[in-house]
Amino acid sequence: MINLMLGDCLERMKEIRDGSVDMILTDPPYGMSFQSNHRKTKHSKIKGDSNLYWLDDWCSELYRVSADNTAHYVFCSFHHVDKFKQALERLFKIKNVLIWEKNNTSMGDLKGDFAPKYEMIIFIHKGRRLINGKRDPNILKFSKTKNELHPTQKPVDLLQYLIGKFSDSGQLIFDPFMGSGTTGVAAKNLNRKFIGIEMDKGYFEIAKNRIESA
Amino acid sequence: MINLMLGDCLERMKEIRDGSVDMILTDPPYGMSFQSNHRKTKHSKIKGDSNLYWLDDWCSELYRVSADNTAHYVFCSFHHVDKFKQALERLFKIKNVLIWEKNNTSMGDLKGDFAPKYEMIIFIHKGRRLINGKRDPNILKFSKTKNELHPTQKPVDLLQYLIGKFSDSGQLIFDPFMGSGTTGVAAKNLNRKFIGIEMDKGYFEIAKNRIESA
DNA sequence: ACTACGGTTGAATCCTGAA
DNA sequence: GTTCAGGATTCAACCGTAG
């Protein structure tokens, strides 16, 4: 079962039944500008809300739709980790903050700072979910995707790893900020069901095509 | 110049002159025991939440004693990164969150979680301080010290690396939570001046001996 | 005119991995 | 080896407006 919705996730999530989702795996917009004058490959502009006013309502809906005894992942940069952690913490149990170590660094302040080489992944439980297989360290090394369709596209193998560790075959994975649909591809590859929501029509079509042909 | 003080850093810091410190490098107590009690209540009141009530006053004093255009490091676990980031952010500029990747993992939840393999280091500026040498990634691999004198003892080579990157020979390093004195040893090895404060008399003596014989 | 402030624009510059 | 491209960017200069 694959269910893709075009629209604002705060609205469309209302259509999802209480306790029906076995894993949320998503990469919310951080509220940064993606338009760089130096990037060769330009992506369409993504709406940046740096005030993150929607966070609390969003977390409440996530809690409502998720089943008991499930584990979930929310990608996050260190710039906003405090706000995301506190919003999630009101309802979920913060289990860990995983570090996705990339194979490259990004730009940032070249003279007064260290070079960004990772993204954070807030790992939460509703109730208690046991790990599948062995317990791995909380630093995960995966190479970045080449020729990205979306500026923050995640590697499929990273998402498949995360899905495999804390969900079972046939369970339902949910991504409220679908982007180019990598979470859906990973879910389908592992025989999970999937619900994805995306507001941008261009990315929605890309996601639909990618997941169909996966 | 090495100046070691026995006492509560919130009190003893008052003796340090405005703008006299070139780098703060410290590992504050996290108050983990309070945290675990608090977890049982889901809709937690922030008031009386943990023993981090001293954070805001502490940050104000750090800001007062530090010179303009200086860089500083505060160690932190992911459990409390939100509170430390927000307290520091009121006055300092958050530049980065560094990841100290250890060579081993610690215990934690063996069945429902990933294994902790890192500590966070909040990296802040007062004004703007340029890097010494090249710009390195924000994931730092250093092996843990063996036969520790203190439960959260840091490797000397890690602290020397951090000191070397953002301070100069002859400048003053300050550690308000000195513990077993590793920051002082690193500072002395690199010909920096040092002020350290420690409340516990046992650790104070250990630190004094270690720094003297460094 | 003279700052002061806010928003926008464009230049800078470095490590890593892939070719 | 050697070259080359690119990266959830930051900083500073530059206007336009307001006081």
Side-chain angles (χ1 to χ4, degrees):
Chain A
M1 186 218 70
I2 305 280
N3 182 2
L4 307 185
M5 306 182 186
L6 174 63
D8 183 340
C9 69
L10 285 171
E11 287 303 317
R12 303 301 305 265
M13 275 171 73
K14 293 174 183 167
E15 301 167 29
I16 303 176
R17 277 207 331 278
D18 291 9
S20 61
V21 168
D22 297 299
M23 172 179 284
I24 300 147
L25 172 51
T26 194
D27 179 25
Y30 300 165
M32 294 175 150
S33 165
F34 291 89
Q35 292 287 20
S36 164
N37 298 320
H38 285 257
R39 290 186 69 149
K40 296 271 169 71
T41 57
K42 303 271 183 178
H43 298 280
S44 67
K45 187 145 190 174
I46 295 172
K47 188 164 63 179
D49 288 321
S50 58
N51 61 5
L52 302 176
Y53 63 89
W54 48 271
L55 255 182
D56 281 348
D57 288 344
W58 182 72
C59 289
S60 300
E61 275 296 280
L62 293 186
Y63 192 80
R64 182 186 64 77
V65 301
S66 54
D68 287 336
N69 302 315
T70 48
H72 313 276
Y73 305 97
V74 178
F75 280 77
C76 182
S77 89
F78 71 80
H79 295 98
H80 298 289
V81 67
D82 51 325
K83 304 179 201 81
F84 277 91
K85 175 172 177 285
Q86 289 172 353
L88 291 164
E89 202 161 37
R90 291 183 312 118
L91 296 166
F92 294 93
K93 177 165 186 177
I94 308 281
K95 291 293 289 186
N96 216 315
V97 176
L98 312 181
I99 300 295
W100 168 35
E101 181 175 356
K102 307 183 222 184
N103 55 342
N104 67 338
T105 55
S106 30
M107 302 184 65
D109 182 349
L110 300 167
K111 290 184 183 167
D113 198 0
F114 297 82
K117 195 175 167 38
Y118 69 85
E119 296 293 328
M120 292 179 175
I121 308 168
I122 302 181
F123 177 61
I124 57 180
H125 277 195
K126 176 177 180 176
R128 177 162 170 77
R129 176 57 158 86
L130 300 187
I131 211 168
N132 293 338
K134 74 186 176 81
R135 178 176 177 253
D136 294 328
N138 58 357
I139 299 187
L140 314 170
K141 291 176 200 177
F142 285 87
S143 292
K144 238 177 114 55
T145 307
K146 280 178 281 184
N147 303 320
E148 293 174 336
L149 301 166
H150 187 279
T152 69
Q153 192 169 329
K154 303 295 175 283
V156 180
D157 54 354
L158 168 59
L159 299 191
Q160 289 187 183
Y161 169 79
L162 296 173
I163 290 171
K165 271 295 168 192
F166 280 94
S167 75
D168 301 317
S169 187
Q171 287 193 319
L172 175 59
I173 315 294
F174 172 47
D175 185 350
F177 296 106
M178 185 166 54
S180 58
T182 314
T183 305
V185 172
K188 189 174 174 186
N189 286 347
L190 294 179
N191 293 310
R192 267 69 168 172
K193 296 166 188 159
F194 180 69
I195 297 179
I197 308 178
E198 172 57 40
M199 186 158 53
D200 182 277
K201 200 162 174 23
Y203 287 123
F204 182 83
E205 292 301 327
I206 291 171
K208 201 175 151 193
N209 291 332
R210 279 184 77 203
I211 295 168
E212 274 172 5
S213 61
Chain B
M1 187 218 70
I2 306 281
N3 182 2
L4 307 185
M5 305 182 187
L6 174 63
D8 182 340
C9 69
L10 285 173
E11 289 302 316
R12 303 300 305 266
M13 275 171 73
K14 293 174 184 167
E15 301 167 29
I16 303 176
R17 277 205 333 277
D18 291 10
S20 60
V21 168
D22 298 297
M23 171 179 285
I24 300 147
L25 172 50
T26 193
D27 180 25
Y30 300 160
M32 295 292 289
S33 55
F34 285 75
Q35 179 75 11
S36 56
N37 288 336
H38 165 64
R39 275 285 163 72
K40 290 171 188 163
T41 58
K42 250 182 193 158
H43 297 287
S44 57
K45 282 284 187 185
I46 300 298
K47 199 189 296 178
D49 170 8
S50 73
N51 60 352
L52 297 177
Y53 63 89
W54 48 270
L55 256 181
D56 282 348
D57 289 342
W58 181 72
C59 289
S60 300
E61 275 296 281
L62 293 186
Y63 192 79
R64 181 185 65 77
V65 301
S66 54
D68 287 337
N69 302 316
T70 48
H72 313 276
Y73 306 96
V74 178
F75 279 77
C76 183
S77 89
F78 71 78
H79 296 96
H80 298 289
V81 66
D82 52 324
K83 304 180 201 83
F84 277 91
K85 175 172 177 285
Q86 289 172 353
L88 291 164
E89 203 160 37
R90 290 184 311 117
L91 296 167
F92 294 93
K93 176 164 190 178
I94 308 281
K95 293 292 289 186
N96 216 316
V97 176
L98 313 182
I99 301 295
W100 167 36
E101 181 176 356
K102 307 181 215 181
N103 55 334
N104 66 340
T105 56
S106 33
M107 308 282 302
D109 182 348
L110 299 170
K111 290 183 181 167
D113 198 0
F114 296 82
K117 196 177 168 26
Y118 69 85
E119 297 292 328
M120 291 180 176
I121 307 169
I122 302 180
F123 177 62
I124 58 179
H125 278 195
K126 175 176 181 176
R128 177 162 171 79
R129 176 57 157 87
L130 302 187
I131 282 191
N132 295 337
K134 74 187 176 79
R135 177 176 178 254
D136 295 328
N138 58 358
I139 299 186
L140 315 171
K141 292 172 200 186
F142 285 87
S143 293
K144 235 176 118 52
T145 307
K146 279 177 248 181
N147 304 320
E148 292 174 336
L149 300 167
H150 188 278
T152 68
Q153 191 170 329
K154 305 292 174 288
V156 180
D157 54 354
L158 168 59
L159 300 191
Q160 289 186 184
Y161 169 79
L162 296 173
I163 290 171
K165 271 294 167 191
F166 280 93
S167 75
D168 301 317
S169 188
Q171 287 194 320
L172 174 60
I173 316 294
F174 172 47
D175 185 350
F177 296 107
M178 185 166 53
S180 58
T182 314
T183 305
V185 172
K188 189 174 174 186
N189 287 346
L190 294 180
N191 293 311
R192 267 68 168 173
K193 297 167 189 158
F194 180 70
I195 298 180
I197 308 180
E198 173 56 41
M199 187 157 52
D200 182 276
K201 200 161 172 34
Y203 286 124
F204 182 83
E205 292 302 326
I206 291 171
K208 201 175 152 195
N209 291 332
R210 279 184 76 202
I211 296 167
E212 274 172 6
S213 60

